Amino acid sequence: MLLIIGVLLMDASVQGSHVLNQSVIYDLLPQARSRLTTVYVTTMFAGGAVGSAVGALAYEHWGWTGATLVAAAFPVLGLLFWLASRRHEAAS
């Protein structure tokens, strides 16, 4: 039962994040919505494919501990890249 609740919460969170990201993208350049959406969706798909491949390799080599650590590492790396880009923008 807890697994089902966790899956439903995770799915709702991903969908909410997707809607929020697209609303931000649509505010960037209204005349280029379709191009920006294409880049966004393509990037999401490529990121999901890379994450799945790396997660599967980690599971194969280190089991659930490795897969969990890889799953935790991706958002941390994303946060670090985001922080680095914000520092670069602030310095400009």
Side-chain angles (χ1 to χ4, degrees):
M1 184 64 175
L2 290 177
L3 179 62
I4 293 170
I5 292 170
V7 168
L8 291 174
L9 285 173
M10 188 170 58
D11 185 55
S13 298
V14 168
Q15 294 302 322
S17 173
H18 183 64
V19 169
L20 287 173
N21 287 337
Q22 281 194 306
S23 69
V24 169
I25 287 170
Y26 285 169
D27 285 342
L28 291 176
L29 206 62
Q31 63 272 22
R33 282 184 175 177
S34 62
R35 289 180 300 229
L36 291 171
T37 300
T38 300
V39 171
Y40 172 70
V41 171
T42 302
T43 304
M44 287 263 312
F45 179 80
V50 169
S52 294
V54 173
L57 285 172
Y59 180 77
E60 181 181 335
H61 291 291
W62 303 292
W64 279 114
T65 302
T68 303
L69 290 174
V70 165
F74 276 110
V76 170
L77 288 172
L79 177 63
L80 292 175
F81 280 119
W82 179 73
L83 289 172
S85 69
R86 293 201 34 109
R87 284 191 200 123
H88 178 69
E89 288 174 4
S92 298

